[in-house]
Amino acid sequence: AAPGVLVDSTLPDNAYAKWSGTSMATPHVAGVAALVWSHFPDCSNKQIREALIKSARDLGIQGCDNNYGFGLVDAQETYQYLSTYGCNFTVGETLGGCNQCADCSFAPTSSPVAFPSCPDNERYFKVSITTDNYGSETSWR
């Protein structure tokens, strides 16, 4: 889960509107996945997804549920999870939602291309985020 209620979205003709639902939360989760994957390019897409699930902050009813899925995405916790466990674990077939399986039978997609070398191994990201009126759905670490 990510901020997904009344999120500003762009529309044609330089317009904006507030929308709610998974279409609003998905870009946030995808952004966290891309950020984490850039630090762990040897992981498969399924391993990144598993790390996102294992490190999500549970919301609502305990465990995976229809309102919050596995919980609130947390970039720092996902990074820490992969720093601890690395990419040397198997994951199940990706079925979506709360139906994650334990057995994996499909080959993962290729990892993203590594960043070009920067001085002193530094990496720079520019992230611009505009929060909505639901500050309790957004946390910073």
Side-chain angles (χ1 to χ4, degrees):
V5 177
L6 297 175
V7 176
D8 283 327
S9 183
T10 56
L11 296 173
D13 300 320
N14 203 27
Y16 294 89
K18 292 188 181 292
W19 297 76
S20 298
T22 56
S23 295
M24 298 293 99
T26 300
H28 292 86
V29 177
V32 170
L35 175 64
V36 172
W37 208 352
S38 73
H39 290 279
F40 299 92
D42 294 331
C43 286
S44 72
N45 60 327
K46 292 181 180 185
Q47 289 168 323
I48 295 296
R49 183 175 195 264
E50 186 73 14
L52 289 168
I53 290 169
K54 296 284 189 187
S55 61
R57 185 166 23 119
D58 195 16
L59 300 172
I61 299 170
Q62 186 175 6
C64 188
D65 61 73
N66 289 331
N67 291 326
Y68 297 102
F70 288 97
L72 184 65
V73 67
D74 188 323
Q76 183 177 12
E77 287 299 316
T78 306
Y79 180 90
Q80 291 301 333
Y81 180 89
L82 289 170
S83 291
T84 301
Y85 298 105
C87 302
N88 298 318
F89 59 92
T90 59
V91 295
E93 179 182 351
T94 303
L95 298 177
C98 296
N99 298 318
Q100 232 9 57
C101 270
D103 300 317
C104 183
S105 60
F106 298 100
T109 59
S110 61
S111 296
V113 176
F115 279 101
S117 296
C118 294
D120 299 322
N121 259 349
E122 293 183 27
R123 294 182 178 155
Y124 299 92
F125 294 90
K126 180 178 179 180
V127 179
S128 299
I129 299 175
T130 302
T131 60
D132 56 20
N133 293 328
Y134 299 90
S136 63
E137 294 177 357
T138 306
S139 65
W140 311 97
R141 292 185 185 203

